[in-house]
Amino acid sequence: MQAASAMVGASDTLVAAVFASALTSTAAGTLAYLRTRERRDHAGTAFVAITYGAALWAALFGLQLLAGPTDLGLLLLRAKWVAATPIVTTSLLFGLYYTGRGDWVTPRRAALLSVEPALAGALIVLDRGGLFFAGVAQRSVFGVETYVAVPGVGFVLHVAYGFLVGSAFVMLLAEAASRSSGPYRKQAATLALASTFPLVTEVVYILDPPWIPPADTTPVVFGGASLLLLFAMYRFDLFDVAPVAHETVFAGLEDAIVVVDESGRVLETNPAAREAFDLDGDGVGLPADRVLPDSPASAALLDGEDAEVVVDDDADAYSRGGEPTYFEATCEPLGREGVRLLVFRDVTERTRVERRYRAYVEHADDIIAVADADGVLEYISPAVEGVLGYDPELLEGGVFTDYIHPDDRRGVAEPFAESLGRPGESVRVSFRVEHADGGWRTLDGVGVNRFHDPQIGGYLMTLRDETRRERYEQRLRVLTRVLRHDLRNELNVVLGYADVIAARGDDESVEYAERIQRSAGRLASLGNRVRGVDRTLRSADHGGRPVDAVAVADEVAARARGCSRRRR
């Protein structure tokens, strides 16, 4: 009686274990699906197919045990083996995708790999000549009466094929584990270990030693393997990042990469991060704030915000040869909730160049400004404070033409408006601008249409204070006029006295008086010529551009010849 009770208990345990294996495999496949459904992950798809196939295999086995040695039980026996045939081939596909060899899986090769499972399934269903099953025997498995298949030639060949393919799969995972590090090595090692148990169980079943039950318990072992896989997904972030990504992309990136889990601990660092942050090891398992530079920007980055991180040369742990190193850092979610990918891009050289040119602009005496098509100032350099007395921050956002003298506004606005449709065109301008003290300053410069440049997107103006030069030229013109006026008055006096001498003197005195008159006349005409030269120079200002002297000489000679002909 006690033996019978023990057998009943064992049979119930077996059935419960089989259905528990089915549930465990289903759970592993469902979790893998949830982690990979939002990306094109062929490894995840293959893994889901494997676990769901194992779950179906276990569920049919459990139903067969419940059906007993009946026609239904015989049907479930065949259905169980049909469900199991594609698992090994699908496992190989998973191994290829997971270890970065997915390019090997072409449509033709995938079709060739599907031939053996399809042939085995057809033999099971048709059961012609006992090729797959040599027969079916009724056996007691832990007190449960059920049908057990007697292996035929096809069955043995199928298991041999499965052993070869399964061994290749395990070798792929072992090789991935050997060339990976951190959690990626643990992922691959756990997968290899979990795959070994069903493979060994199937081989032992074929060898049929006397100390094992007569039924194939591989579906139950798959349940234990699924427990290991669930643990790997929880502890080692399986399907969040695969070893192939780590080796072929992650480790080879020039950017520094740090993966942080939901508790703020480092899951992985790539070689660039270890060099950038002077880590003795890989930093895996350490709090992220001990690996990243100690700065407020790092704290903001861990909170999920992008930041600019500076590795300061004053910090001993992050000494970078005496100069700070600048990183443009981003934070992105990775896989399950809470896991973050921190990417640090070294922008030191770019930052130094930007700051150098910013220093050039900010310390230049000329005003650098950027305005949009309506004249609204988007930027103006600090030089405006020294030239016009305004705070640059107060001018930005205002309309620049509001500060231009009313008489000069149209002359400034029109050429800029005309150049609006011609990218890269330069406009030379000179105008008066109101100073903060109420006076006027003369600015001279060039505006360039840079709307096509995304870094500028407006008129780029370079303006120089020409107030002193303008005032100097004004004083010079006044002085020239005064000089000509006084010279002409004095020459009139000289000419008057020369006329008196000529009227009263002898012949010799008359000759002297005439010489005085001629010299005075030449001096008077010299003043007029000076005025003409001044007008010509001011009207013919070409902005310092090179001039072909030969062409000018030829033009002057041609004009002279033309004047000579007209006189004749």
Side-chain angles (χ1 to χ4, degrees), residues 281-298:
D282 56 16
V284 174
L286 296 176
D289 54 9
R290 288 180 55 187
V291 173
L292 303 181
D294 185 14
S295 67
S298 296

Side-chain angles (χ1 to χ4, degrees), residues 558-568:
R559 290 179 180 178
R561 286 192 294 269
C563 292
S564 177
R565 292 193 190 96
R566 285 194 295 273
R567 288 173 184 170
R568 293 175 185 174

Side-chain angles (χ1 to χ4, degrees), residues 183-491:
Y184 310 101
R185 172 175 295 175
K186 297 174 183 177
Q187 283 182 20
T190 304
L191 284 169
L193 179 63
S195 304
T196 302
F197 293 144
L199 188 64
V200 171
T201 303
E202 191 69 26
V203 173
V204 171
Y205 169 69
I206 290 296
L207 297 176
D208 195 21
W211 45 269
I212 67 167
D216 184 6
T217 57
T218 305
V220 181
V221 176
F222 254 114
S226 296
L227 284 175
L228 274 177
L229 298 176
L230 286 169
F231 175 77
M233 282 187 270
Y234 172 76
R235 185 66 183 85
F236 306 137
D237 300 305
L238 180 61
F239 297 119
D240 283 338
V241 178
V244 59
H246 171 260
E247 291 301 321
T248 61
V249 179
F250 183 79
L253 288 175
E254 295 181 357
D255 296 340
I257 307 292
V258 179
V259 181
V260 181
D261 66 11
E262 65 276 9
S263 62
R265 291 189 174 274
V266 174
L267 291 177
E268 183 60 295
T269 58
N270 71 338
R274 296 165 205 161
E275 179 183 358
F277 304 140
D278 289 336
L279 301 179
D280 293 333
D282 56 16
V284 174
L286 296 176
D289 54 9
R290 288 180 55 187
V291 173
L292 303 181
D294 185 14
S295 67
S298 296
L301 192 66
L302 291 173
D303 290 336
E305 302 175 5
D306 295 347
E308 181 184 70
V309 178
V310 180
V311 177
D312 196 346
D313 59 313
D314 294 335
D316 294 337
Y318 302 110
S319 177
R320 301 289 291 172
E323 293 186 2
T325 301
Y326 298 89
F327 291 96
E328 187 178 72
T330 59
C331 177
E332 298 180 4
L334 182 67
R336 74 166 189 265
E337 184 177 358
V339 178
R340 289 154 291 170
L341 179 70
L342 310 183
V343 182
F344 297 83
R345 176 162 297 171
D346 191 336
V347 293
T348 303
E349 186 60 29
R350 188 188 75 187
T351 302
R352 288 174 181 169
V353 171
E354 289 177 351
R355 295 191 176 192
R356 184 184 305 125
Y357 281 102
R358 188 181 302 125
Y360 294 161
V361 171
E362 291 178 352
H363 294 91
D365 292 334
D366 294 347
I367 298 174
I368 309 296
V370 176
D372 65 11
D374 297 323
V376 177
L377 287 171
E378 298 178 352
Y379 170 81
I380 191 163
S381 65
V384 72
E385 188 168 4
V387 175
L388 298 175
Y390 296 108
D391 184 343
E393 294 184 359
L394 296 179
L395 289 182
E396 290 179 4
V399 180
F400 186 54
T401 52
D402 291 346
Y403 299 89
I404 297 178
H405 194 284
D407 295 342
D408 297 343
R409 289 176 184 171
R410 184 174 181 179
V412 173
E414 287 183 351
F416 276 105
E418 292 173 359
S419 70
L420 185 60
R422 297 189 288 269
E425 181 170 305
S426 298
V427 176
R428 189 169 187 86
V429 290
S430 181
F431 52 90
R432 289 164 291 176
V433 178
E434 187 177 7
H435 192 278
D437 62 8
W440 296 94
R441 301 292 186 273
T442 301
L443 299 184
D444 183 84
V446 176
V448 183
N449 181 343
R450 301 297 298 178
F451 283 94
H452 61 287
D453 188 339
Q455 303 298 325
I456 300 176
Y459 291 112
L460 176 63
M461 297 180 290
T462 304
L463 305 172
R464 174 171 296 178
D465 185 2
E466 295 289 351
T467 305
R468 293 182 180 179
R469 183 182 65 82
E470 181 69 20
R471 290 176 179 173
Y472 171 77
E473 291 180 352
Q474 289 178 351
R475 290 194 295 268
L476 185 60
R477 286 195 292 269
V478 171
L479 180 61
T480 301
R481 286 197 297 270
V482 171
L483 179 61
R484 291 201 309 268
H485 178 269
D486 292 347
L487 178 63
R488 187 168 54 251
N489 289 339
E490 294 299 324
L491 287 175

